Amino acid sequence: MAPGDRRGATFASEFRMPSLGADMQAGTVVNWLVKPGDHVTHGDVVAEVETEKGVFEVEISSDGVVDELAVGKGAKVPVGTVLARLRRDGVTTPPATGGAGTIETPVAAPTAAPPAPPAAPAAPAAPAAPAGAAPAHIVRASPLARKIAEAKGVDLANVTGTGPGGAITKADVERASSAPSAQRVETTAAPPVAPPVAPPIAAPTSEPMLAMRHAVAAAVSRSKREIPHYYLGTDISLGAAMGWLAAQNQARAIADRILPAALLLKSVALALRKYPALNGFWTDDAHHPAEAIHVGVAISLRAGGLIAPAIHDADQLSLGDLMRALSDLVRRTRAGGLRSSEMTDATITVSNLGDEGAASVFGVIYPPQLALVGFGKINERPWAEGGMLGVRPVVTATLAADHRATDGHYGSRFLAEIDRLLQTPESL
Amino acid sequence: MTTTTATTENATDTAEQPSEARAAGGDHQLHLLREMLRVRRFEERCGELYKEEKIRGFLHLYIGEEAVATGVLQALGPEDAVVATYREHGHALVRGVSARAIMAEMYGKQEGCSGGRGGSMHLFDAATRFYGGNAIVAGGLPLAIGVALADKLQHRARVTACFFGDGAVAEGEFHETLNLAALWQLPVLFCCENNLYAMGTAIERAQSETHVALKAAAYRIPSWDVDGMDVEAVESAAHRAAAAVRAGEGPHFLELRTYRFRAHSLFDPELYREKEEVERWKQRDPIATYTATLRQRGVLDDAQLAAMEDEVLREVDDAVAFAEAGAWEPVETLTRYVYSEPKTDPGAAP
Amino acid sequence: MTTYREAVREAIRASMIADDRVFLMGEDVGRYGGCYAVSRGLLEEFGPERIRDTPLSESAFVGAGIGAAINGMRPIVEIMTVNFSLLALDQIVNTAAALLHMSGGQFNVPLVIRMATGAGRQVAAQHSHSLEGWYAHVPGLKVIAPATIEDARGMLPTALADPDPVIIFEHAALYNVEGALSSSAGAVSIDRAAVRRAGTDVTLITFGGTLGRTLVAAEQLGNAGVSAEVLDLRTLRPLDTNAILDSVRKTHRAVVVDEEWRSGSLSAEISARIMEGAFYELDAPVARVCGAEVPIPYARHLEQAALPQPAAIVEAVRAVVGR
């Protein structure tokens, strides 16, 4: 048996130009962040690619060793072009003490004086934070465990390791594969850790902005052409929500204060759990609801243009985390440091016009998504409640949805759920 | 036993021989000259070939010392054994290893006597019981007494001739071996080719006692000093010593005083000796002096010498042509000869 | 019941009776009866020609063994211990191992060299080496380590029949070990490892003098619910890589127990081979329990602390198995 005969973790020998948006045709590699000989693990940012929409950090989805870079800096190539080739090099596990990004073979095993015993499996230890503070996306698992995990479709990120140094063993994988619900519990206890962020890149110049306009034009044209939209709207009182938010924010530092936008986004995400038919895609003439809820946030760019990167697993983030993710997303969007997965993973989009917006927005669905939720400006309006007249902060929530996947009745109930959630902000 | 100096006094005095004996002696004398000439011309050609990069690695030429190998090996028969050093081309030639096989080995070709695996320093030939060819100074001495031990244990009246230089005298193995050989009375003929230099170190700088035969005598081994530039003196001493060894009288030792005219090896700039010294020794060139002797005896004339040179030249040319035409062993068989291969033919000799 | 020592003696005796070409040569093998009393009585039985005392000349008598072997004999050269073999390293590495090759296949060397090896008897730094790895490093040599009485009896005849040089390491601590030996015991293989104890959770790989302690550790582990397989290498060059990999593929974990100093030892070679051949079968890194990196000390407690002990083996296994 030669090395490489058996497959370890995810491996693909070709890394191709990804599609970073509905209408991306081609991209230009403006910077390579790896060179031949470098080890990569799925999730590593390996290149910066420029499209009409700006410059994105592109992540690789395979483990391996970079064999050759097939496309040089400055070359514009169509989506799908092979950008780099990888070779297998087994999977190396991180050192017991290592900074982010160092990949080494494990420290030598015990001699007459053995090391400390492995971590006890009593509490579900977050696999993203092993004893040695290794980078979150490198999972310590034995080669055998990886092999079995792959065969059984077990995600190692959800497995607790009981082997030497907390590594995942065959037994751990087998235990995990026979107790799927346990995995979800562990996952909620371990919030995902963001991959390293590249330094910000200068905002696009006018020529790319023209290209962006074209891209937007193409996208919305296609959307209107192909997707039979239906529209619904409802007014939602945010009295309780704003009051609760004010109290929350009093206890927080200014930098940590939560904006209403976070409440709105969270309510959409949670509502989708009850109404999953609106979360996902219509492709190949069929409805493909998505398992995870990645909320795309429509963000306007200062120089003009619109982009809608995703906040992953928005339903699982705490409000604080969601707020941080939102701020971070906005900052990076405007600075140009978005990642390809953020561009491609949104399962629904929310367009929040915010303070300067109109009262309501009836948006255009971002193909191939199934819906777009809009929030207008929150303003004070007269509000009747329990027979009494008062003034409340009110927002108009709208839904534009693909009639092929859902109908108005379903959409209404979805909006009603958002309303209900916003009335009980402590549940968000 | 004390040391004695062997000169030509014990050799046949040709002036008093009857003519038939002289004729017979004459043939043998020509044979001696021819053998030395074969070695000389072969070695000269090797030197040239090395400069043409046909021969690589280390090349240690025997030029000047031909009388030693030629003379000693006359005293051995085919059932005897020879163990030599890295300066062993002459010994191999005189012993009977073909010039072709030796030259091919120098080239590194498959047809070489060691299959191209050994090179200049590791000539081996089972058919002539030529046990190498050793690049470790004094490394062959223990091997030689082992070969002799086996003969003694199997009650075979054989001689193992062991050649080594003055440098080997410094190694522990020299002393261990001589001691053991004498203790166990092993049938070894020790031949120390004292050319006064161990690579670049003159013997006076390496030995507190430079008379090597004395050291052997200290181990109770009968030892002779021999003029190594005189082929007949060498032969005579070798016959006496070998006869004694073969008769079961235990090991014997010859210190053969000789001189190498060329450098230690082709890489040596000879900074350690004076040109004048080399020239002085060249006056005693064994071939030149023996040629003169044979002419004087009337055994050799110009025509014979020319014919001999011609014959030798053809043999060397033939050997070179053979080597040039030889084949390189395929790399695929690189890991052969690490361990013995199973014999495919059960009738083949082991 | 017999001892390891007696088994070796009987092996020499039987071989000499069966083949006139076999003789024993070494320091104090005759009159003294052997430093470890292995050859006691053999001088009286076979005489001084075939049981040869040598002077303290390792280089000369090992070289003589080589010469005798290429000229029709089947010598057994006894070097008192591996520590003194260093004086003969030139003959062993530069001649015995290389002669067949240098001569293009003409001269094989059917020589057997026996050496005592190992530590544990408070004889300090110059008398306690384990250098099996040095010899196992050299192509042209075969290196074996009989760890059981059966192997002590049976490996020597096979080694004598081998056309190439075979070095036999006898761990000095084994000579007194007692055990049963079948009266019909004879030659055994010298190119195979042997599973001394079957198991499923981890493979313990060892050789020679540490087999005993490894088996003790395996017993303790068994009582604690860890099933350890113990593989006795028996041959160090060539290594029985197939046996090693077969076992590791079964248990998915390996711990190598080797009295040599860790760095550059045979355990490193074995670990590399497991990584090369069974990487994707491993559920944990290969662990090694080796001699401490120190010249062997004289004081008993220090010496014992420097050598692989059952407790350390058990610890290593537990770390690898995780329980």
Side-chain angles (χ1 to χ4, degrees), chain B residues 77-158:
Chain B
E79 72 291 351
D80 295 323
V82 177
V83 176
T85 70
Y86 49 79
R87 197 183 301 281
E88 86 284 31
H89 316 148
H91 304 71
L93 264 176
V94 177
R95 183 59 181 159
V97 183
S98 77
R100 285 183 163 195
I102 299 173
M103 190 58 81
E105 187 59 37
M106 307 289 266
Y107 269 60
K109 299 288 180 84
Q110 263 181 176
E111 293 81 358
C113 54
S114 301
R117 294 270 180 154
S120 161
M121 299 188 289
H122 304 298
L123 304 178
F124 287 85
D125 184 51
T128 55
R129 308 205 75 218
F130 192 83
Y131 291 104
N134 197 313
I136 304 291
V137 173
L141 272 71
L143 186 78
I145 58 166
V147 173
L149 175 63
D151 283 331
K152 180 166 173 136
L153 288 174
Q154 293 172 87
H155 310 292
R156 300 191 287 232
R158 297 180 180 176

Side-chain angles (χ1 to χ4, degrees), chain B residues 31-262:
Chain B
H31 167 73
L32 290 178
L33 179 63
R34 185 181 302 109
E35 291 293 78
M36 289 198 288
L37 211 47
R38 285 176 70 220
V39 175
R40 174 69 58 96
R41 299 301 174 229
F42 187 92
E43 292 289 78
E44 284 170 345
R45 182 66 64 88
C46 284
E48 288 164 26
L49 290 167
Y50 189 92
K51 288 171 195 157
E52 292 169 30
E53 296 188 285
K54 302 284 184 169
I55 300 174
R56 306 311 303 145
F58 290 137
L59 184 70
H60 307 90
L61 298 177
Y62 201 55
I63 293 170
E65 305 186 41
E66 297 87 347
V68 175
T70 303
V72 171
L73 290 173
Q74 302 311 310
L76 298 190
E79 72 291 351
D80 295 323
V82 177
V83 176
T85 70
Y86 49 79
R87 197 183 301 281
E88 86 284 31
H89 316 148
H91 304 71
L93 264 176
V94 177
R95 183 59 181 159
V97 183
S98 77
R100 285 183 163 195
I102 299 173
M103 190 58 81
E105 187 59 37
M106 307 289 266
Y107 269 60
K109 299 288 180 84
Q110 263 181 176
E111 293 81 358
C113 54
S114 301
R117 294 270 180 154
S120 161
M121 299 188 289
H122 304 298
L123 304 178
F124 287 85
D125 184 51
T128 55
R129 308 205 75 218
F130 192 83
Y131 291 104
N134 197 313
I136 304 291
V137 173
L141 272 71
L143 186 78
I145 58 166
V147 173
L149 175 63
D151 283 331
K152 180 166 173 136
L153 288 174
Q154 293 172 87
H155 310 292
R156 300 191 287 232
R158 297 180 180 176
V159 176
T160 300
C162 179
F163 294 90
F164 51 94
D166 47 284
V169 173
E171 290 282 354
E173 280 168 324
F174 170 84
H175 299 275
E176 290 185 25
T177 299
L178 259 57
N179 179 48
L180 206 49
L183 201 61
W184 291 352
Q185 290 289 285
L186 299 176
V188 186
L189 177 59
F190 290 107
C191 301
C192 177
E193 304 182 81
N194 184 357
N195 61 16
L196 303 179
Y197 290 89
M199 201 159 88
T201 303
I203 192 169
E204 310 83 60
R205 300 175 59 231
Q207 292 295 324
S208 56
E209 170 57 73
T210 59
H211 190 171
V212 179
L214 263 185
K215 296 177 194 277
Y219 290 105
R220 303 252 180 151
I221 297 177
S223 312
W224 282 270
D225 297 331
V226 182
D227 178 0
M229 304 311 260
D230 179 341
V231 67
E232 287 183 347
V234 173
E235 184 187 25
S236 166
H239 270 300
R240 266 172 72 177
V245 172
R246 204 184 306 282
E249 290 174 31
H252 283 58
F253 192 99
L254 302 176
E255 179 185 346
L256 302 130
R257 305 254 173 87
T258 183
Y259 199 85
R260 56 170 165 82
F261 296 161
R262 301 275 186 101

Side-chain angles (χ1 to χ4, degrees), chain C residues 99-311:
Chain C
L99 201 56
L100 181 72
H101 181 266
M102 289 192 298
S103 65
Q106 293 179 82
F107 299 116
N108 63 300
V109 182
L111 170 69
V112 171
I113 299 176
R114 292 176 40 247
M115 318 193 211
T117 182
R121 289 155 299 122
Q122 291 192 259
V123 290
Q126 294 177 329
H127 279 61
S128 306
H129 293 318
S130 289
L131 296 172
E132 289 86 341
W134 283 17
Y135 289 94
H137 179 63
V138 180
L141 299 178
K142 294 182 183 174
V143 179
I144 60 181
T148 64
I149 290 173
E150 186 196 30
D151 281 349
R153 174 64 184 88
M155 288 181 121
L156 179 68
T158 312
L160 280 167
D162 200 290
D164 298 314
V166 181
I167 303 185
I168 307 181
F169 282 97
E170 299 164 6
H171 196 287
L174 290 176
Y175 286 126
N176 287 330
V177 168
E178 275 196 358
L181 183 65
S182 155
S183 54
S184 61
V188 299
S189 77
I190 60 169
D191 59 357
R192 295 279 129 82
V195 175
R196 298 298 183 194
R197 180 194 169 105
T200 54
D201 292 333
V202 63
T203 301
L204 300 178
I205 301 167
T206 189
F207 63 90
T210 44
L211 176 63
R213 277 169 272 155
T214 306
L215 286 167
V216 167
E219 185 72 23
Q220 290 174 12
L221 287 163
N223 294 336
V226 176
S227 167
E229 177 148 298
V230 177
L231 185 70
D232 174 7
L233 288 172
R234 299 179 73 247
T235 169
L236 307 180
R237 182 173 188 106
L239 280 171
D240 188 349
T241 309
N242 287 335
I244 296 169
L245 295 181
D246 280 348
S247 180
V248 173
R249 286 191 195 112
K250 185 175 77 164
T251 65
H252 305 295
R253 295 175 199 86
V255 175
V256 188
V257 184
D258 182 352
E259 191 175 304
E260 298 172 288
W261 294 305
R262 200 176 149 75
S263 307
S265 61
L266 265 175
S267 70
E269 174 65 25
I270 294 163
S271 181
R273 291 197 190 196
I274 294 173
M275 191 274 299
E276 287 161 357
F279 180 81
Y280 295 100
E281 297 298 329
L282 287 175
D283 209 21
V286 176
R288 300 187 280 164
V289 183
C290 298
E293 306 265 350
V294 62
I296 299 296
Y298 159 70
R300 182 171 195 284
H301 67 295
L302 290 178
E303 181 179 34
Q304 291 302 314
L307 303 173
Q309 302 294 353

Side-chain angles (χ1 to χ4, degrees), chain A residues 12-273:
Chain A
S13 63
E14 289 173 333
F15 167 57
R16 294 171 179 273
M17 175 67 79
S19 169
L20 298 174
D23 283 282
M24 177 182 163
Q25 308 274 9
T28 304
V29 178
V30 293
N31 206 7
W32 276 109
L33 301 176
V34 293
K35 58 188 188 305
D38 285 354
H39 286 264
V40 293
T41 308
H42 71 269
D44 284 354
V45 175
V46 297
E48 286 158 4
V49 168
E50 186 174 46
T51 69
E52 293 104 350
K53 298 236 171 173
V55 181
F56 300 97
E57 291 171 5
V58 174
E59 297 147 3
I60 196 162
S61 57
S62 172
D63 296 339
V65 174
V66 179
D67 214 2
E68 64 157 315
L69 301 178
V71 166
K73 266 170 68 163
K76 185 170 180 180
V77 296
V79 167
T81 305
V82 175
L83 294 179
R85 291 196 172 78
L86 301 185
R87 61 173 185 273
R88 294 176 204 283
D89 202 19
V91 177
T92 57
T93 56
T97 55
T102 46
I103 300 175
E104 288 175 325
T105 49
V107 172
T111 58
H137 56 282
I138 294 175
V139 176
R140 283 169 67 101
S142 79
L144 184 63
R146 285 181 188 274
K147 193 169 73 163
I148 296 171
E150 200 192 344
K152 295 196 173 202
V154 172
D155 183 354
L156 288 173
N158 299 331
V159 179
T160 306
T162 63
I168 296 169
T169 64
K170 166 176 177 260
D172 297 328
V173 170
E174 285 172 345
R175 213 176 300 122
S177 79
S178 61
S181 55
Q183 291 172 44
R184 271 195 74 87
V185 173
E186 286 167 11
T187 317
T188 49
V193 176
V197 177
I201 293 152
T205 60
S206 61
E207 190 185 347
M209 282 328 298
L210 198 60
M212 151 116 30
R213 267 268 64 85
H214 281 137
V216 170
V220 296
S221 302
R222 177 181 152 205
S223 178
K224 279 291 172 174
R225 195 169 52 238
E226 292 174 15
I227 301 177
H229 286 58
Y230 70 88
Y231 304 100
L232 299 169
T234 189
D235 292 342
I236 299 175
S237 162
L238 291 179
M242 298 299 270
W244 178 84
L245 200 57
Q248 284 289 304
N249 281 337
Q250 276 212 317
R252 286 169 174 263
I254 291 179
D256 289 342
R257 285 190 177 169
I258 297 173
L259 298 177
L263 291 178
L264 301 177
L265 287 173
K266 187 71 184 284
S267 66
V268 169
L270 290 178
L272 282 174
R273 283 195 186 164

